[in-house]
Amino acid sequence: FQPLMPDLHYYYIVELSFYWSLMFSQFIDIKRKDFGIMFTHHIVTVTLITFSYVTNLTRVGTLTLCLHDAADVVLEAAKMANYCKCQKLSDLLFLTFAIVFIVSRLGIYPLWILNTTLFELYEALGNFPALWVFNVLLVILQILHCFWSYLIIKAAYKAISKGKVAKDDRSDIESSSDEEETVPRSKTPHSTITTNGTGGANGTNGYLTGGTCSEEH
């Protein structure tokens, strides 16, 4: 019995298209060990977005999407910092992401969202078939949250103990940024000292200038 506002309508359309794109791009992305789990997550998410829109349960759907977006924004920022070779900033953002993820998906989501859909919604609207499908999908989402929280806590522990975030435990293949760091040192001129991808006075972002370039070629 909640009116669908235009901004909520467009928010649903954008989120639905985003998760559809994730579902298809997963097949051409770096192969992960949790490919099946991630694919299940995308299927559940697309179904939940569509189901909540059709049944007009847009308020709980919007809150669920906002909780997911809050952690994803910090995660993408951590990735960009890692690509820019800003290791300390990347570590800080990753630890921030871990805190936001755990608080939002192991705290707010089950205590607020699931509590409402499992108990309060039943008391308000009574029993109807769509409610059971809706709750089963939301519980599956929570199980996936617990699995990913384990991986995040494991990576955060390594970051604190070793002072650096380790590579993604889900990866079977190293990313391009990791491959660049494993280039044999013998191919790099001994006169160049690089820090965070920067060659100091001799160059910027790992690229050398002047006579050193011709010598390397």
Side-chain angles (χ1 to χ4, degrees), residues 187-214:
K187 295 182 179 180
T188 306
H190 297 288
S191 59
T192 305
I193 301 177
T194 59
T195 305
N196 290 333
T198 303
N202 294 326
T204 305
N205 293 334
Y207 294 96
L208 307 179
T209 58
T212 314
C213 276
S214 59

Side-chain angles (χ1 to χ4, degrees), residues 101 105-106 141-151:
F101 186 96
R105 304 194 190 188
L106 295 187
L141 205 60
Q142 178 60 22
I143 295 174
L144 297 178
H145 291 165
C146 295
F147 171 75
W148 280 316
S149 296
Y150 164 75
L151 296 180

Side-chain angles (χ1 to χ4, degrees), residues 79-96:
K79 289 181 179 180
M80 289 190 291
N82 182 45
Y83 298 152
C84 295
K85 307 298 182 182
C86 299
Q87 188 61 47
K88 292 184 179 180
L89 178 60
S90 177
D91 294 345
L92 177 61
L93 288 173
F94 177 78
L95 293 177
T96 304

Side-chain angles (χ1 to χ4, degrees), residues 111-125:
L111 297 179
W112 188 15
I113 303 297
L114 287 183
N115 180 64
T116 299
T117 59
L118 290 174
F119 304 106
E120 297 178 2
L121 192 60
Y122 177 79
E123 296 177 358
L125 300 179

